[in-house]
Amino acid sequence: MVEALVTGERTTTATLDRGRGVSLWHQIASAIERDIIAGLWIPGARLPTEAEFTARFAVNRHTVRRAMESLESRGMIRIEQGRGSFVAEDVLEYPLGTRTRFSENIRRQKKEPQGRILGIETIAAEGAVATALGLRRGRPVLRVERLAMANGTPIVIGAHHFPLPRFEAMPAALAQQASITVALAACGLPDYHRVRTRVTARMPTAEEATLLHQARIRPLIVAEALNADPEGRPVDFTLSRYASGRVQIVVEGE
């Protein structure tokens, strides 16, 4: 039996054939993919809900969910917890070099950078933070958690660690503008350079997935970075968690 599939505001030429041995979820995924490629939904657009697709294709929700998971695994869509499914945007190229600056990287790709401070607190330097900043364990450091976005889409969560008392003016500077580079300049450091970056990957926590608007089944790109002032003194140890479906890390040569 062959049935016409309506996958958007118009009817696609694809058909749902319940007797040709191809799973229904695969046929549905293929039909949605064709409509995305044809431009029925632009990058970033919200897709119909599972319930709407269920009614449209006359199948159960499990079948639709399997189709959507397949599209997400291939990078066609992104599923955001509690918000729905969206057509995947173009992947940003994010260069890592001696002068890595989020705003500059984003503007080079003709997108508008934004930032939001999630929290600021003074903590005791321990483990990797103390080692990277060259501090004795227990010394105070300022921890700044920041969400960085491009055209309003979450890209990366950064946990920055600054030695105290050198950067005690950082909270006041960030209250004026949520830019780490601008805040460092306000603290008397107009320029700094990247000493090293270590890149790994892991699955997100529930909080990270929510902040980055991504599914728990998609891994994060994790980067540990150390920045130093022109004299070589450590000024910022950062743990960055990138939404892997939206970012491609590019390592630049010296």
Side-chain angles (χ1 to χ4, degrees):
M1 178 181 178
V2 177
E3 304 171 10
L5 291 185
V6 181
T7 57
E9 295 179 355
R10 58 189 171 88
T11 303
T12 181
T13 56
T15 57
L16 180 64
D17 190 336
R18 298 177 183 270
R20 65 186 176 96
V22 178
S23 60
L24 298 181
W25 70 262
H26 190 276
Q27 294 183 58
I28 292 170
S30 296
I32 295 172
E33 180 177 357
R34 282 193 292 273
D35 279 346
I36 290 174
I37 293 173
L40 180 60
W41 296 295
I42 63 174
R46 186 192 299 270
L47 293 168
T49 65
E50 281 187 5
E52 290 171 325
F53 276 139
T54 294
R56 191 167 292 167
F57 297 142
V59 295
N60 60 46
R61 283 201 175 194
H62 175 77
T63 301
V64 170
R65 189 169 295 127
R66 180 69 182 86
M68 302 302 280
E69 289 172 351
S70 171
L71 290 169
E72 184 184 38
S73 69
R74 291 188 288 113
M76 294 295 298
I77 70 172
R78 55 183 170 86
I79 300 174
E80 299 184 4
Q81 294 181 333
R83 298 187 70 236
S85 301
F86 300 79
V87 179
E89 298 92 347
D90 294 336
V91 176
L92 292 169
E93 286 198 352
Y94 196 86
L96 293 181
T98 57
R99 293 197 77 261
T100 298
R101 305 288 189 271
F102 179 82
S103 294
E104 292 178 9
N105 284 345
I106 298 305
R107 288 196 178 100
R108 272 201 294 263
Q109 297 176 68
K110 304 188 184 305
K111 296 183 184 294
E112 185 61 29
Q114 297 100 18
R116 176 160 60 92
I117 302 302
L118 303 175
I120 301 177
E121 61 179 335
T122 298
I123 64 171
E126 300 290 347
V129 174
T131 300
L133 294 177
L135 301 174
R136 295 197 309 272
R137 294 170 65 91
R139 294 291 296 172
V141 296
L142 189 71
R143 185 179 189 276
V144 176
E145 189 93 355
R146 179 178 182 271
L147 176 66
M149 298 164 279
N151 285 355
T153 299
I155 300 298
V156 57
I157 305 166
H160 300 262
H161 302 83
F162 305 99
L164 292 173
R166 183 177 183 183
F167 295 104
E168 59 187 4
M170 180 72 66
L174 289 171
Q176 299 298 315
Q177 185 174 340
S179 166
I180 298 297
T181 299
V182 172
L184 284 171
C187 292
L189 184 63
D191 194 24
Y192 57 94
H193 64 275
R194 181 67 57 92
V195 176
R196 65 173 182 269
T197 304
R198 178 183 292 110
V199 180
T200 57
R202 64 168 170 80
M203 303 307 289
T205 64
E207 181 181 14
E208 289 168 339
T210 298
L211 285 170
L212 290 171
H213 295 174
Q214 74 167 53
R216 290 288 303 275
I217 63 172
R218 180 179 289 277
L220 302 174
I221 299 173
V222 180
E224 291 184 3
L226 177 64
N227 293 304
D229 65 16
E231 287 72 43
R233 293 175 295 177
V235 296
D236 176 18
F237 176 69
T238 305
L239 176 65
S240 299
R241 292 90 84 197
Y242 296 88
S244 61
R246 296 174 213 141
V247 174
Q248 176 174 281
I249 299 295
V250 178
V251 179
E252 295 184 329
E254 297 300 325

